[in-house]
Short mmCIF file of all heavy atoms in Angstrom, two decimals:
data_model
loop_
_atom_site.label_atom_id
_atom_site.label_comp_id
_atom_site.label_asym_id
_atom_site.label_seq_id
_atom_site.Cartn_x
_atom_site.Cartn_y
_atom_site.Cartn_z
N SER Y 6 93.26 -11.64 122.18
CA SER Y 6 93.31 -10.80 121.00
C SER Y 6 94.60 -10.98 120.24
O SER Y 6 94.58 -10.97 119.00
CB SER Y 6 93.07 -9.32 121.35
OG SER Y 6 94.07 -8.96 122.29
N ARG Y 7 95.64 -11.26 121.02
CA ARG Y 7 96.91 -11.45 120.34
C ARG Y 7 96.86 -12.79 119.54
O ARG Y 7 97.48 -12.95 118.48
CB ARG Y 7 98.03 -11.51 121.35
CG ARG Y 7 99.35 -11.17 120.82
CD ARG Y 7 100.42 -11.13 121.93
NE ARG Y 7 100.45 -12.41 122.63
CZ ARG Y 7 101.22 -12.61 123.67
NH1 ARG Y 7 102.06 -11.66 124.09
NH2 ARG Y 7 101.25 -13.79 124.30
N ALA Y 8 96.11 -13.74 120.02
CA ALA Y 8 96.02 -15.03 119.42
C ALA Y 8 95.57 -14.90 117.94
O ALA Y 8 95.97 -15.71 117.07
CB ALA Y 8 95.07 -15.94 120.15
N SER Y 9 94.74 -13.93 117.68
CA SER Y 9 94.23 -13.88 116.32
C SER Y 9 95.20 -13.18 115.37
O SER Y 9 95.02 -13.21 114.15
CB SER Y 9 92.87 -13.10 116.37
OG SER Y 9 93.08 -11.82 117.00
N GLU Y 10 96.19 -12.49 115.92
CA GLU Y 10 97.08 -11.76 115.07
C GLU Y 10 98.23 -12.62 114.49
O GLU Y 10 98.64 -12.53 113.35
CB GLU Y 10 97.73 -10.60 115.80
CG GLU Y 10 96.76 -9.50 116.12
CD GLU Y 10 97.30 -8.63 117.25
OE1 GLU Y 10 98.51 -8.61 117.50
OE2 GLU Y 10 96.46 -7.93 117.90
N LYS Y 11 98.80 -13.44 115.38
CA LYS Y 11 99.96 -14.20 114.99
C LYS Y 11 99.57 -15.62 114.61
O LYS Y 11 98.62 -16.17 115.13
CB LYS Y 11 100.93 -14.25 116.16
CG LYS Y 11 101.51 -12.89 116.58
CD LYS Y 11 102.40 -13.12 117.77
CE LYS Y 11 103.04 -11.83 118.23
NZ LYS Y 11 103.86 -12.01 119.46
N PRO Y 12 100.31 -16.24 113.66
CA PRO Y 12 100.06 -17.62 113.34
C PRO Y 12 100.22 -18.48 114.56
O PRO Y 12 101.11 -18.24 115.40
CB PRO Y 12 101.10 -18.00 112.25
CG PRO Y 12 101.78 -16.72 111.92
CD PRO Y 12 101.45 -15.67 112.92
N ILE Y 13 99.46 -19.55 114.66
CA ILE Y 13 99.45 -20.38 115.87
C ILE Y 13 100.33 -21.61 115.68
O ILE Y 13 100.28 -22.26 114.66
CB ILE Y 13 98.01 -20.75 116.25
CG1 ILE Y 13 97.22 -19.51 116.59
CG2 ILE Y 13 98.03 -21.77 117.41
CD1 ILE Y 13 95.78 -19.76 116.80
N VAL Y 14 101.16 -21.84 116.70
CA VAL Y 14 102.10 -22.97 116.67
C VAL Y 14 101.73 -23.80 117.91
O VAL Y 14 101.45 -23.28 118.98
CB VAL Y 14 103.54 -22.44 116.84
CG1 VAL Y 14 104.49 -23.59 117.05
CG2 VAL Y 14 103.93 -21.60 115.69
N LEU Y 15 101.72 -25.15 117.76
CA LEU Y 15 101.47 -25.96 118.92
C LEU Y 15 102.40 -27.18 118.92
O LEU Y 15 102.63 -27.74 117.83
CB LEU Y 15 100.01 -26.41 118.96
CG LEU Y 15 99.64 -27.35 120.10
CD1 LEU Y 15 98.33 -26.99 120.69
CD2 LEU Y 15 99.66 -28.83 119.67
N THR Y 16 102.91 -27.53 120.08
CA THR Y 16 103.59 -28.84 120.16
C THR Y 16 103.23 -29.41 121.55
O THR Y 16 102.71 -28.72 122.39
CB THR Y 16 105.12 -28.81 120.24
OG1 THR Y 16 105.47 -27.63 120.95
CG2 THR Y 16 105.70 -28.91 118.93
N GLY Y 17 103.59 -30.65 121.73
CA GLY Y 17 103.39 -31.27 123.03
C GLY Y 17 104.40 -32.28 123.35
O GLY Y 17 105.20 -32.68 122.54
N ASP Y 18 104.37 -32.69 124.63
CA ASP Y 18 105.25 -33.75 125.09
C ASP Y 18 104.50 -34.64 126.10
O ASP Y 18 103.67 -34.15 126.84
CB ASP Y 18 106.47 -33.14 125.85
CG ASP Y 18 107.30 -32.29 124.97
OD1 ASP Y 18 108.02 -32.85 124.12
OD2 ASP Y 18 107.20 -31.03 125.03
N ARG Y 19 104.83 -35.92 126.05
CA ARG Y 19 104.23 -36.82 127.05
C ARG Y 19 104.96 -36.74 128.34
O ARG Y 19 106.23 -36.87 128.38
CB ARG Y 19 104.38 -38.28 126.54
CG ARG Y 19 103.69 -38.56 125.27
CD ARG Y 19 103.94 -39.99 124.95
NE ARG Y 19 103.60 -40.23 123.46
CZ ARG Y 19 103.88 -41.37 122.92
NH1 ARG Y 19 104.43 -42.37 123.52
NH2 ARG Y 19 103.57 -41.48 121.62
N PRO Y 20 104.32 -36.53 129.43
CA PRO Y 20 104.99 -36.39 130.73
C PRO Y 20 105.24 -37.79 131.33
O PRO Y 20 104.53 -38.22 132.21
CB PRO Y 20 104.04 -35.61 131.56
CG PRO Y 20 102.65 -35.92 131.00
CD PRO Y 20 102.86 -36.24 129.55
N THR Y 21 106.25 -38.50 130.83
CA THR Y 21 106.55 -39.78 131.39
C THR Y 21 107.93 -39.74 132.09
O THR Y 21 108.44 -40.77 132.54
CB THR Y 21 106.55 -40.90 130.36
OG1 THR Y 21 107.33 -40.45 129.26
CG2 THR Y 21 105.16 -41.20 129.88
N GLY Y 22 108.57 -38.59 132.10
CA GLY Y 22 109.89 -38.44 132.72
C GLY Y 22 110.39 -37.14 132.34
O GLY Y 22 109.81 -36.45 131.50
N PRO Y 23 111.57 -36.73 132.94
CA PRO Y 23 112.14 -35.45 132.54
C PRO Y 23 112.53 -35.50 131.04
O PRO Y 23 112.81 -36.55 130.50
CB PRO Y 23 113.39 -35.30 133.45
CG PRO Y 23 113.31 -36.42 134.37
CD PRO Y 23 112.32 -37.43 133.92
N LEU Y 24 112.57 -34.33 130.41
CA LEU Y 24 112.88 -34.30 128.98
C LEU Y 24 114.39 -34.45 128.76
O LEU Y 24 115.15 -34.22 129.68
CB LEU Y 24 112.39 -32.96 128.37
CG LEU Y 24 110.86 -32.74 128.53
CD1 LEU Y 24 110.46 -31.41 127.90
CD2 LEU Y 24 110.08 -33.84 127.93
N HIS Y 25 114.73 -34.91 127.57
CA HIS Y 25 116.15 -35.16 127.32
C HIS Y 25 116.62 -34.43 126.06
O HIS Y 25 115.91 -33.70 125.44
CB HIS Y 25 116.40 -36.67 127.24
CG HIS Y 25 115.47 -37.38 126.26
ND1 HIS Y 25 115.47 -37.12 124.90
CD2 HIS Y 25 114.52 -38.34 126.46
CE1 HIS Y 25 114.58 -37.89 124.31
NE2 HIS Y 25 113.97 -38.65 125.24
N LEU Y 26 117.89 -34.69 125.74
CA LEU Y 26 118.54 -33.97 124.60
C LEU Y 26 117.80 -34.25 123.28
O LEU Y 26 117.80 -33.39 122.39
CB LEU Y 26 119.97 -34.41 124.47
CG LEU Y 26 120.91 -33.87 125.46
CD1 LEU Y 26 122.37 -34.44 125.23
CD2 LEU Y 26 120.98 -32.35 125.43
N GLY Y 27 117.16 -35.45 123.14
CA GLY Y 27 116.36 -35.68 121.96
C GLY Y 27 115.22 -34.74 121.78
O GLY Y 27 114.95 -34.20 120.68
N HIS Y 28 114.53 -34.46 122.91
CA HIS Y 28 113.48 -33.44 122.88
C HIS Y 28 113.99 -32.07 122.56
O HIS Y 28 113.41 -31.30 121.82
CB HIS Y 28 112.76 -33.31 124.25
CG HIS Y 28 112.00 -34.56 124.70
ND1 HIS Y 28 112.50 -35.36 125.70
CD2 HIS Y 28 110.89 -35.09 124.25
CE1 HIS Y 28 111.66 -36.40 125.84
NE2 HIS Y 28 110.70 -36.28 125.00
N TYR Y 29 115.21 -31.81 123.08
CA TYR Y 29 115.82 -30.51 122.86
C TYR Y 29 116.09 -30.21 121.38
O TYR Y 29 115.67 -29.18 120.86
CB TYR Y 29 117.08 -30.36 123.69
CG TYR Y 29 117.69 -28.99 123.71
CD1 TYR Y 29 117.02 -28.02 124.44
CD2 TYR Y 29 118.84 -28.67 123.02
CE1 TYR Y 29 117.56 -26.70 124.48
CE2 TYR Y 29 119.40 -27.41 123.05
CZ TYR Y 29 118.72 -26.44 123.78
OH TYR Y 29 119.20 -25.18 123.80
N VAL Y 30 116.73 -31.15 120.71
CA VAL Y 30 117.04 -30.89 119.28
C VAL Y 30 115.80 -31.06 118.41
O VAL Y 30 115.65 -30.45 117.36
CB VAL Y 30 118.18 -31.74 118.73
CG1 VAL Y 30 119.46 -31.47 119.48
CG2 VAL Y 30 117.84 -33.22 118.80
N GLY Y 31 114.90 -31.96 118.85
CA GLY Y 31 113.71 -32.23 118.01
C GLY Y 31 112.70 -31.09 118.00
O GLY Y 31 112.14 -30.78 116.98
N SER Y 32 112.47 -30.53 119.16
CA SER Y 32 111.47 -29.47 119.17
C SER Y 32 111.67 -28.33 120.20
O SER Y 32 111.28 -27.20 119.93
CB SER Y 32 110.07 -30.07 119.25
OG SER Y 32 109.83 -30.47 120.60
N LEU Y 33 112.30 -28.55 121.37
CA LEU Y 33 112.41 -27.51 122.34
C LEU Y 33 113.16 -26.32 121.77
O LEU Y 33 112.75 -25.14 121.93
CB LEU Y 33 113.13 -27.98 123.55
CG LEU Y 33 112.36 -28.87 124.54
CD1 LEU Y 33 113.25 -29.41 125.66
CD2 LEU Y 33 111.13 -28.15 125.13
N ARG Y 34 114.22 -26.59 121.06
CA ARG Y 34 115.08 -25.56 120.45
C ARG Y 34 114.25 -24.67 119.49
O ARG Y 34 114.35 -23.45 119.48
CB ARG Y 34 116.29 -26.14 119.76
CG ARG Y 34 117.48 -25.31 119.81
CD ARG Y 34 118.79 -26.03 119.65
NE ARG Y 34 118.94 -27.03 118.63
CZ ARG Y 34 120.05 -27.72 118.32
NH1 ARG Y 34 121.12 -27.45 119.00
NH2 ARG Y 34 120.08 -28.62 117.42
N SER Y 35 113.45 -25.36 118.66
CA SER Y 35 112.60 -24.52 117.70
C SER Y 35 111.60 -23.69 118.48
O SER Y 35 111.27 -22.57 118.11
CB SER Y 35 111.79 -25.42 116.76
OG SER Y 35 112.47 -26.56 116.45
N ARG Y 36 111.02 -24.27 119.56
CA ARG Y 36 110.03 -23.47 120.33
C ARG Y 36 110.60 -22.20 120.83
O ARG Y 36 109.92 -21.17 120.90
CB ARG Y 36 109.50 -24.32 121.51
CG ARG Y 36 108.81 -25.54 121.04
CD ARG Y 36 108.35 -26.35 122.26
NE ARG Y 36 108.18 -27.70 121.93
CZ ARG Y 36 107.83 -28.67 122.76
NH1 ARG Y 36 107.65 -28.34 124.04
NH2 ARG Y 36 107.70 -29.87 122.39
N LEU Y 37 111.86 -22.23 121.25
CA LEU Y 37 112.52 -21.02 121.76
C LEU Y 37 112.54 -19.95 120.74
O LEU Y 37 112.34 -18.76 120.95
CB LEU Y 37 113.92 -21.33 122.32
CG LEU Y 37 114.03 -22.29 123.46
CD1 LEU Y 37 115.47 -22.49 123.85
CD2 LEU Y 37 113.26 -21.75 124.64
N SER Y 38 112.83 -20.29 119.48
CA SER Y 38 112.96 -19.29 118.46
C SER Y 38 111.59 -18.91 117.94
O SER Y 38 111.40 -17.80 117.41
CB SER Y 38 113.90 -19.75 117.34
OG SER Y 38 113.48 -20.94 116.80
N LEU Y 39 110.59 -19.78 118.09
CA LEU Y 39 109.26 -19.45 117.53
C LEU Y 39 108.42 -18.56 118.47
O LEU Y 39 107.55 -17.86 118.03
CB LEU Y 39 108.48 -20.78 117.32
CG LEU Y 39 108.91 -21.62 116.12
CD1 LEU Y 39 108.29 -23.00 116.25
CD2 LEU Y 39 108.56 -20.95 114.82
N GLN Y 40 108.74 -18.65 119.77
CA GLN Y 40 107.80 -18.01 120.71
C GLN Y 40 107.61 -16.51 120.54
O GLN Y 40 106.61 -15.93 120.88
CB GLN Y 40 108.13 -18.38 122.14
CG GLN Y 40 109.45 -17.93 122.71
CD GLN Y 40 109.63 -18.42 124.13
OE1 GLN Y 40 108.75 -18.97 124.79
NE2 GLN Y 40 110.87 -18.22 124.64
N GLU Y 41 108.65 -15.83 119.94
CA GLU Y 41 108.51 -14.43 119.75
C GLU Y 41 107.57 -13.98 118.67
O GLU Y 41 106.87 -13.00 118.78
CB GLU Y 41 109.89 -13.82 119.43
CG GLU Y 41 110.78 -13.65 120.66
CD GLU Y 41 112.13 -13.11 120.33
OE1 GLU Y 41 112.23 -12.21 119.45
OE2 GLU Y 41 113.10 -13.55 120.96
N ASN Y 42 107.56 -14.79 117.60
CA ASN Y 42 106.77 -14.33 116.44
C ASN Y 42 105.51 -15.12 116.17
O ASN Y 42 104.78 -14.90 115.21
CB ASN Y 42 107.64 -14.39 115.17
CG ASN Y 42 108.86 -13.47 115.33
OD1 ASN Y 42 108.68 -12.34 115.81
ND2 ASN Y 42 110.02 -13.95 115.00
#
Side-chain angles (χ1 to χ4, degrees):
S6 57
R7 207 176 53 183
S9 55
E10 291 160 20
K11 296 179 177 176
I13 297 172
V14 173
L15 178 137
T16 38
D18 298 284
R19 296 179 198 174
T21 49
L24 302 181
H25 53 61
L26 287 178
H28 295 109
Y29 189 71
V30 298
S32 74
L33 286 175
R34 212 157 44 178
S35 326
R36 296 178 203 177
L37 296 180
S38 56
L39 288 167
Q40 64 183 352
E41 280 179 38
N42 299 315

